[in-house]
Amino acid sequence: MAEHLASIFGTEKDRVNCPFYFKIGACRHGDRCSRLHTKPSVSPTLLLSNMYQRPDMITPGVDAQGNPIDPRTIQDHFEDFYEDLFEELNKYGEIESLNVCDNLADHMVGNVYVQFREEEYAAKALKNLTGRYYAGRPIIVDFSPVTDFREATCRQYEENTCNRGGYCNFMHLKKIGRELRRDLFGRYRRRHSRSRSRSRSPYRHRSYEERAYYGSRGHSRRYDERDRDQDDYYSESRSRRHRSTSPLHRREHSKNLSPVREGSEERRAKIEEWNRQREQAKLNDFH
């Protein structure tokens, strides 16, 4: 009996525990759900509920005054948020993946899921973020049961075929551009590369963030022409943003960009210096 209950836990056959809460970390029925929402006492994943406030929150593609918004402006706004949040969360430990929902339903809109490499990193982040504010709004953070984002993500959305739109009950995850992804997550690849060079183990750990774009053995996602076009568009948008008038930390980062490939030691030194300069700038949002 115990083996049977364990095998159906978190599935549609489980009449006790909510399968959507188990897979998505959120349920449209909330506290009125007829099944249990058992919050984990510890997890490598944190949920920051309704944290991202997109500029076209009321009507997609339109601002609060009813004026259309350029998609590049929306993407720039999102990448600013993503980068600031990543740098803040990175203080507490290595990030496995950082995912932001593009869903519109109340229980998922603006939800941010950060999965750390170790549970202790998530516990440290939870302790430090509780009671804090971002952009004048309180941060609502808790452990999440979600550990496999492949099960939580809407596959039809990734293929541009989801007919439920923003009200789908599976995650519609917003993507960042290739340049920003390389800047943020590339530091981990370089670090693990150095570690592997000193070890006999051939193990190559890849996060969901990497697998979603580059594929992995056993769960491959082909990087087709549409994805490349989208990444090129995001990269172009981000490059344009660096060339335009921007806050101090973005101007400093822009100066570090060079068509000449730098040595790894020089690049790491510049990144460390850039991160130090950013700390003061971000205090205006996090306090």
Side-chain angles (χ1 to χ4, degrees), residues 3 18 63 65 73 76 87-89 112 124 138 142 172 176 219 228-229 233 257 261 268 272 275:
E3 292 181 359
C18 176
D63 64 18
Q65 288 72 41
T73 301
D76 288 348
E87 295 297 349
E88 176 68 21
L89 295 171
V112 175
K124 183 179 179 181
D142 209 341
H172 288 189
I176 58 174
H219 186 77
R228 280 196 293 270
D229 291 343
Y233 163 75
L257 297 179
R261 184 175 179 83
R268 285 197 298 272
E272 290 174 1
N275 287 336

Side-chain angles (χ1 to χ4, degrees), residues 46 92 121-132 141 143:
L46 297 180
Y92 309 114
Y121 301 155
K124 183 179 179 181
L126 175 65
K127 179 180 178 181
N128 283 274
L129 292 175
T130 300
R132 294 178 62 188
V141 57
F143 286 122

Side-chain angles (χ1 to χ4, degrees), residues 62-128:
V62 178
D63 64 18
Q65 288 72 41
N67 301 313
I69 307 178
D70 190 323
R72 292 186 179 89
T73 301
I74 296 176
Q75 183 65 21
D76 288 348
H77 180 274
F78 170 63
E79 292 196 355
D80 283 342
F81 167 82
Y82 191 102
E83 186 175 7
D84 285 344
L85 184 59
F86 184 97
E87 295 297 349
E88 176 68 21
L89 295 171
N90 186 56
K91 296 177 182 177
Y92 309 114
E94 185 171 338
I95 297 172
E96 180 82 3
S97 63
L98 178 60
N99 299 298
V100 181
C101 287
D102 201 25
N103 304 67
L104 297 176
D106 291 341
H107 66 293
M108 295 183 72
V109 60
N111 281 1
V112 175
Y113 296 81
V114 53
Q115 184 176 18
F116 290 92
R117 185 169 288 270
E118 302 291 343
E119 290 179 346
E120 62 187 81
Y121 301 155
K124 183 179 179 181
L126 175 65
K127 179 180 178 181
N128 283 274

